[in-house]
Amino acid sequence: MAEQLVSLPRNKLLALLGTLALLLAPHLAQMPFWLILVTLLPLAWRAYTAWSGRRLPGRAVRLFLAGAMIVLVFLQFRTLVGRDGGVVLLACLVALKLLETTSRRDVRILTLLGYFVAGTLFLVSQSFWMLAYVVFVCVLLTGQLFAWQRDDNRFEPEEYRRALRLMLEGLPVALLLFVLYPRLATPLWSMPADRPQASTGIADTMTPGSFSDLTLDDSVAFRVDFRGRQPERDQLYWRGPVFERFDGYTWLQREFAPALAPKIVPLGRTLDYTITLEPQQRAWLFALDLPTRLPQGARLTSRMQAVYRQPLTTRARFDLQSATDWRIEEDGDRFAVTQALVLPHTGNPRARQLAQGWRTLPPQVRVARALMWLQNNRFFYSLAPPLLEGADQVDQFLFTTKEGFCEHYAGSFSFLMRAAGVPARVVGGYLGGEYNAAGDYWIVRQADAHAWVEVWLEGRGWQRVDPTAVVSPLRVSSGLARSVRDSDRLPMLLRENAAWLANLRLKWDNVVYVWDRWVIGYDTQRQMQLLKQLGVDSLDSATYLAWLVGGFAAVLALYTLAARRGPRADRPRDPAARQWRGFLRRLAQRGLSPHPGEGPRDFALRAAAALPAQAELIRRICNHYLAARYGDDPDAARQLAKTIKTFRL
Amino acid sequence: MPHSFSPALAQLNRVILGKEDQVRMALCCLLARGHLLLEDLPGVGKTTLAHALAATVGLRFQRVQFTSDLLPADLIGVSIYQRDTGQFRFHHGPVFTQVLLADEINRAPPKTQSALLEAMEEQQVTVDGTSYPLPEPFFVIATQNPQHQIGTFPLPESQLDRFLMRLELGYPDGAAERAMLAGENRRDLVAQLRPAVEPNDLLTAQREVDKVHVAGPLLDYVQALARATRSHDALSYGLSPRALLGLIAAARAWAWLDNRDHVIPEDVQAVFPGVAGHRLVQRASGRVAPDAALELLRAVAIP
């Protein structure tokens, strides 16, 4: 074993170790600390033995390490297979394999394993960056495979260039396969969200602070493409969960909503749009208030919330239609209306007392009165309102602190309405968004989370009332950034003074969006859409076969053509030959070009005779060329370039 | 710095008038450790060239006139029984020399021809199971009359291949011929020649020639020429790998004689007719086609 060890060139082995470290890095980021140590140990050990020439550990040590890895992985993931456990185990064992890599055959196996690990990196993330990273690592692996193919110890950067060229040459085939190869309707393994993010997104309950916390989160909730008519900013109420039960502190969704959804009749023109939702734990579609047409698999609840039939744990795209102006018909859910009057029996006496005073007015006027009261009592819109503690939080907010975020206003306003005898409920969702001119779409971030109120008026049904708009009209018309005093609490990208950064971010967001839409989002359905445009009705049809075969034939023809033209014939690799060719081109302008079998020196003599003024220079250029191309002088090429530069016709 | 052989070249050109190219090629052949075949009519100076070359380089010289009754033993030597010791003793033949002039080689029967060619290839002769090494350097200059003359045994291609170069001398031009006629007797001149180089100079020069750099693009050119001979419609055979090795060796020597440490395409072109001419056989006539070499040189592009 020791003899074989010597035969593996150190430089190539260390390069392979480095590449494997790069490969394992994204996996390591997912591992707990001690598992990282166990994985890095074989790498470091192998690097040390390569460096010092010492022996590799024996079988017992390797077996012990393998056992330790398996146990640790099992303890961490409670399984040895599957997306997380299996991949981490693979990464560990690839690292371990290093400790018994003593021959070129082992190296080859390791490299092939490396390609496999590179594939599993897409289980960590499917972002554009990850693709770039994987391609980079694969170029390294392939280049090293070339280098290992040589018997000597030399390792030239040329190998990487060859690898890169090979990958580029493979690109047309990869594209063809990507477009035409049948996509799997469901992946071989389920792909849950990149990482469960309990903290982000709108929760299914609302307490004071639950929305203002989201304003610190500038991650994208969803992106929206409007087709045709663009909406006004103050119409962008993205409807989420409806909170109907109030227990004195928290607003909750009702456990079940058995009634049928009301019929929404659009008034005026509707908006058609596509929404691309980032992974979430729930099935909420966040349709624009209110949706008139839903995609397949989605339904409208009796609370007029669009939900999908299963949680949207992966990125998903839906085509929707909404009306910003509507009339509700056939709302048979009277139960919901009566529920929207229920309040806890006790608590918040001052708010109740205030609302009692409006009871004599018609319901519509009560709403207006309450809004007016908010407007005239010096309320502030703030991301960092004073903490509300103990019982009677509505009273505290309305009469003491008077500073709050949307959930404070929405919650208190609903309380006042119910106390005044007007059915009211809180609606969660997002307000506004950011228009990305680079890609002509809207980005809605978690920071855009918002809560507003719906009141039920006899004869008109549920009507949207946004108390926040009364306190801070800018929040609705201009977005969050312009509506708060303490803008330093805002996420970096929403701040006004970071305009250039925000602009850059928008451009990048567009790249990501295109990537998500056309690469990640290219699923069975979209493939069939595309294939239909190519005249393919089913994957069994002859047309499909024709496209497949024709596509490959075209790619092959492309390769053949490229090989025939060849960069070699077109453009010499040798810099001296390139220089000389340029020189010949310039002489050709004077009608001087070499005959097929005429040597450079003979030609130079002829040219010198034809151009006596340049004879000496031509002779020198020729000598430098001959020395550079046929001689053993590494300096001659530089001399040649220098001399040719002085040549003027 | 001029190489150590420029005085030798000058001296040869004083004796052999108007044949600078052939003289240079002959010297080049010697430096490349090859053997030389001179083919031309009688009386154009083949023997004089061989003799002058040997004298100028300071090598021992032997001349053997090949005739139809020349036997291998006449050339190589023979073991003769010694009555006083009761043993056979080998008497060295004329082949044991440094420069051997095999005059009119195509007049000897094939058996004798092949004995010589074997000696050329192996640098030694074997008689009765004992090998006797030939001196170094060992340089054979064979002369041959044009094959259509009667009473000749033409050398087969395989044996022609053993000669690095084949040269034709041709008639001298008018001025050179006039100078020759007016001047001293050539034989006397040759007899008076003193070596123009030191005894070890030739071996040193041969080693230097080996070190002349041959770059990749030049090998590309040599291979392109070889491909052209092999795919040529009018030729029966292309150049053998041995011929290509010889071509490169000769081109090295030519570059060395030109005071260069690397071979350029012109060197290859200079020696190509001499090296390839006798190896290219016309398909139609079955004769060697020296002109084909020139034609190829004009046609094959230099990479």
Side-chain angles (χ1 to χ4, degrees):
Chain A
M1 204 154 87
E3 298 79 37
Q4 286 175 315
L5 188 69
V6 176
S7 74
L8 284 186
R10 185 198 289 173
N11 53 349
K12 295 185 196 175
L13 196 58
L14 289 176
L16 180 67
L17 282 168
T19 313
L20 283 180
L22 282 179
L23 262 178
L24 296 178
H27 285 311
L28 290 178
Q30 293 200 308
M31 296 184 191
F33 178 67
W34 35 269
L35 203 52
I36 294 177
L37 281 187
V38 174
T39 311
L40 287 181
L41 177 71
L43 250 99
W45 197 333
R46 191 66 183 88
Y48 172 69
T49 54
W51 195 255
S52 64
R54 282 176 194 248
R55 278 170 160 276
L56 286 174
R59 179 188 297 264
V61 177
R62 297 201 303 266
L63 275 176
F64 171 75
L65 273 174
M69 280 174 179
I70 290 170
V71 168
L72 286 178
V73 169
F74 186 79
L75 285 178
Q76 176 69 19
F77 297 98
R78 296 283 149 198
T79 173
L80 291 179
V81 293
R83 190 185 87 120
D84 294 323
V87 166
V88 167
L89 186 67
L90 172 75
C92 291
L93 293 181
V94 165
L96 189 63
K97 175 75 189 164
L98 275 170
L99 288 188
E100 52 178 24
T101 297
T102 53
S103 66
R104 278 161 196 274
R105 178 182 164 278
D106 294 330
V107 166
R108 225 163 288 147
I109 290 174
L110 208 55
T111 312
L112 294 181
L113 279 172
Y115 285 116
F116 189 75
V117 173
T120 62
L121 287 184
F122 289 118
L123 296 174
V124 177
S125 161
Q126 298 191 349
S127 72
F128 180 77
W129 283 123
M130 188 54 95
L131 177 81
Y133 188 78
V134 167
V135 168
F136 169 69
V137 176
C138 282
V139 168
L140 290 186
L141 277 178
T142 312
Q144 280 161 25
L145 212 53
F146 277 132
W148 282 102
Q149 212 60 34
R150 303 173 64 126
D151 284 332
D152 53 19
N153 287 357
R154 287 171 64 185
F155 192 172
E156 288 166 7
E158 177 67 19
E159 316 284 7
Y160 288 127
R161 216 172 309 146
R162 275 170 74 194
L164 185 64
R165 221 183 70 193
L166 204 67
M167 303 267 292
L168 287 178
E169 282 170 358
L171 196 62
V173 174
L175 278 176
L176 198 70
L177 283 175
F178 178 77
V179 173
L180 289 182
Y181 191 80
R183 314 292 296 175
L184 295 169
T186 50
L188 287 177
W189 48 84
S190 62
M191 290 278 299
D194 275 0
R195 210 154 310 155
Q197 291 165 317
S199 60
T200 60
I202 292 171
D204 46 10
T205 63
M206 188 186 84
T207 52
S210 65
F211 277 66
S212 51
D213 283 348
L214 281 177
T215 58
L216 296 175
D217 181 0
D218 64 0
S219 66
V220 174
F222 50 90
R223 298 180 178 85
V224 186
D225 250 329
F226 284 99
R227 282 188 298 278
R229 195 162 70 91
Q230 297 282 326
E232 299 298 319
R233 178 179 276 277
D234 60 7
Q235 296 174 331
L236 294 178
Y237 281 87
W238 308 99
R239 191 182 180 92
V242 176
F243 303 110
E244 289 172 290
R245 265 183 55 202
F246 183 59
D247 64 1
Y249 173 72
T250 309
W251 285 89
L252 301 142
Q253 282 185 291
R254 229 165 66 179
E255 278 80 10
F256 55 93
L260 287 173
K263 187 162 185 244
I264 298 162
V265 179
L267 303 171
R269 290 174 60 192
T270 53
L271 289 158
D272 286 297
Y273 56 96
T274 305
I275 187 165
T276 308
L277 292 146
E278 292 297 302
Q280 52 168 318
Q281 302 298 313
R282 304 190 174 78
W284 300 339
L285 285 188
F286 295 106
L288 196 61
D289 212 21
L290 284 165
T292 48
R293 199 182 63 223
L294 292 175
Q296 215 184 357
R299 70 184 174 86
L300 200 64
T301 66
S302 60
R303 305 298 179 259
M304 296 179 288
Q305 185 192 2
V307 294
Y308 197 60
R309 59 179 169 222
Q310 71 211 33
L312 298 163
T313 50
T314 55
R315 193 174 283 111
R317 282 163 60 78
F318 298 103
D319 291 329
L320 291 154
Q321 189 188 60
S322 285
T324 50
D325 224 352
W326 66 86
R327 196 180 70 237
I328 292 166
E329 287 177 359
E330 301 166 22
D331 188 0
D333 194 1
R334 301 298 296 193
F335 182 64
V337 177
T338 53
Q339 285 292 305
L341 284 168
V342 174
L343 283 177
H345 296 298
T346 57
N348 300 308
R350 293 184 68 188
R352 283 175 204 263
Q353 196 189 346
L354 174 70
Q356 287 287 341
W358 304 328
R359 278 230 170 211
T360 51
L361 302 165
Q364 209 165 337
V365 184
R366 288 177 224 167
V367 176
R369 248 334 234 296
L371 286 174
M372 218 147 70
W373 188 83
L374 279 178
Q375 204 169 7
N376 297 336
N377 275 280
R378 296 184 144 272
F379 280 89
F380 288 109
Y381 185 65
S382 167
L383 292 183
L387 206 61
L388 304 174
E389 281 173 322
D392 303 339
Q393 292 194 351
V394 176
D395 276 5
Q396 276 183 48
F397 169 67
L398 286 179
F399 299 102
T400 314
T401 65
K402 300 197 172 193
E403 233 179 277
F405 195 59
C406 60
E407 71 265 30
H408 297 93
Y409 292 101
S412 308
F413 191 80
S414 293
F415 185 91
L416 285 175
M417 283 296 100
R418 289 188 180 187
V422 179
R425 60 191 185 188
V426 178
V427 183
Y430 298 87
L431 172 62
E434 187 176 18
Y435 179 66
N436 190 346
D440 186 27
Y441 62 93
W442 290 79
I443 306 168
V444 179
R445 301 179 191 280
Q446 296 298 349
D448 294 315
H450 189 60
W452 61 92
V453 177
E454 273 181 342
V455 295
W456 189 86
L457 299 174
E458 187 67 52
R460 292 177 57 187
W462 292 101
Q463 296 287 312
R464 183 172 69 212
V465 178
D466 191 349
T468 313
V470 175
V471 178
S472 171
L474 281 173
R475 168 68 185 94
V476 179
S477 61
S478 307
L480 188 61
R482 298 219 176 139
S483 53
V484 289
R485 295 177 301 173
D486 41 2
S487 68
D488 53 330
R489 268 209 32 158
L490 278 175
M492 186 72 171
L493 293 157
L494 284 181
R495 282 185 223 163
E496 291 278 297
N497 52 10
W500 64 272
L501 195 66
N503 192 23
L504 202 71
R505 170 73 170 243
L506 281 182
K507 291 232 161 65
W508 174 245
D509 191 271
N510 188 33
V511 173
V512 171
Y513 186 42
V514 166
W515 170 257
D516 288 342
R517 204 164 14 161
W518 296 111
V519 180
I520 305 295
Y522 186 70
D523 53 10
T524 318
Q525 200 187 343
R526 272 169 210 282
Q527 186 182 35
M528 282 320 293
Q529 272 174 17
L530 181 81
L531 288 178
K532 275 210 177 69
Q533 283 173 10
L534 298 178
V536 177
D537 295 326
S538 92
L539 294 181
D540 298 330
S541 70
T543 344
Y544 175 69
L545 202 68
W547 272 103
L548 209 60
V549 172
F552 275 106
V555 167
L556 274 182
L558 208 74
Y559 286 149
T560 319
L561 220 64
R564 276 186 128 206
R565 291 196 42 160
R568 199 175 291 248
D570 221 353
R571 196 177 147 79
R573 292 176 81 102
D574 184 0
R578 273 206 300 276
Q579 298 270 1
W580 178 252
R581 183 166 297 199
F583 175 63
L584 291 185
R585 264 200 294 273
R586 288 162 68 186
L587 283 179
Q589 293 166 4
R590 289 295 182 90
L592 284 166
S593 31
H595 307 308
E598 191 173 26
R601 199 180 60 182
D602 292 345
F603 171 69
L605 286 174
R606 193 157 62 83
L611 301 167
Q614 310 277 356
E616 171 59 18
L617 192 54
I618 291 175
R619 198 188 56 75
R620 265 173 50 212
I621 289 174
C622 173
N623 281 344
H624 285 315
Y625 169 63
L626 289 173
R629 186 139 169 86
Y630 299 104
D632 204 9
D633 182 4
D635 199 39
R638 212 169 44 77
Q639 294 271 359
L640 174 66
K642 221 165 70 186
T643 321
I644 283 187
K645 276 202 191 94
T646 66
F647 183 73
R648 300 269 180 283
L649 267 175
Chain B
M1 196 191 91
H3 54 79
S4 52
F5 272 64
S6 34
L9 262 176
Q11 178 171 320
L12 281 168
N13 283 324
R14 275 201 302 279
V15 178
I16 318 221
L17 297 172
K19 297 286 171 214
E20 278 88 358
D21 275 4
Q22 283 88 339
V23 165
R24 204 182 176 88
M25 286 282 269
L27 198 56
C28 170
C29 190
L30 176 64
L31 288 169
R33 295 192 176 94
H35 303 287
L36 179 63
L37 179 65
L38 290 172
E39 180 170 325
D40 218 319
L41 297 165
V44 292
K46 299 187 295 262
T47 313
T48 310
L49 172 61
H51 213 148
L53 193 61
T56 302
V57 185
L59 300 175
R60 272 185 287 129
F61 178 75
Q62 284 281 356
R63 178 185 162 183
V64 179
Q65 178 67 44
F66 278 39
T67 54
S68 55
D69 55 357
L70 187 77
L71 295 175
D74 297 335
L75 186 65
I76 286 166
V78 65
S79 295
I80 295 172
Y81 182 69
Q82 304 286 303
R83 201 173 342 165
D84 45 344
T85 58
Q87 285 178 336
F88 281 94
R89 184 163 157 260
F90 181 65
H91 287 255
H92 290 70
V95 78
F96 288 91
T97 186
Q98 288 177 308
V99 175
L100 176 71
L101 175 62
D103 228 350
E104 297 190 88
I105 189 173
N106 56 345
R107 288 204 183 275
K111 199 172 177 182
T112 311
Q113 286 176 0
S114 51
L116 174 65
L117 293 163
E118 248 176 73
M120 284 160 57
E121 190 67 19
E122 312 284 331
Q123 289 272 323
Q124 64 175 26
V125 290
T126 305
V127 178
D128 300 333
T130 314
S131 293
Y132 303 93
L134 292 169
E136 192 164 345
F138 178 64
F139 183 46
V140 173
I141 303 175
T143 71
Q144 165 165 268
N145 293 325
Q147 284 165 14
H148 49 79
Q149 290 204 336
I150 49 168
T152 57
F153 299 93
L155 293 172
E157 288 88 7
S158 65
Q159 300 200 339
L160 278 175
D161 202 31
R162 307 269 168 92
F163 288 98
L164 176 61
M165 284 188 196
R166 170 192 166 281
L167 294 179
E168 289 172 18
L169 286 176
Y171 298 116
D173 60 27
E177 195 166 35
R178 177 79 178 216
M180 188 196 82
L181 293 174
E184 281 183 76
N185 184 303
R186 297 291 120 183
R187 304 245 165 202
D188 293 345
L189 270 181
V190 170
Q192 292 161 17
L193 283 179
R194 306 240 155 271
V197 294
E198 298 293 317
N200 276 328
D201 277 1
L202 178 62
L203 290 175
T204 314
Q206 283 179 337
R207 275 196 293 275
E208 280 175 21
V209 164
D210 290 340
K211 286 188 201 126
V212 171
H213 182 71
V214 174
L218 192 100
L219 293 178
D220 290 344
Y221 181 47
V222 168
Q223 286 191 295
L225 283 172
R227 269 197 303 278
T229 63
R230 288 164 192 174
S231 61
H232 198 292
D233 289 335
L235 298 176
S236 304
Y237 328 98
L239 291 180
S240 65
R242 175 162 55 192
L244 297 188
L245 286 172
L247 180 61
I248 289 168
R252 276 190 161 124
W254 192 266
W256 186 84
L257 283 172
D258 205 19
N259 290 313
R260 254 182 294 105
D261 64 350
H262 56 269
V263 181
I264 63 174
E266 279 86 348
D267 297 328
V268 176
Q269 292 184 335
V271 299
F272 187 72
V275 174
H278 60 294
R279 291 176 162 104
L280 300 176
V281 176
Q282 229 161 26
R283 196 187 290 276
S285 65
R287 290 169 182 271
V288 295
D291 293 342
L294 290 170
E295 181 204 319
L296 286 168
L297 280 184
R298 279 194 294 272
V300 175
I302 298 166

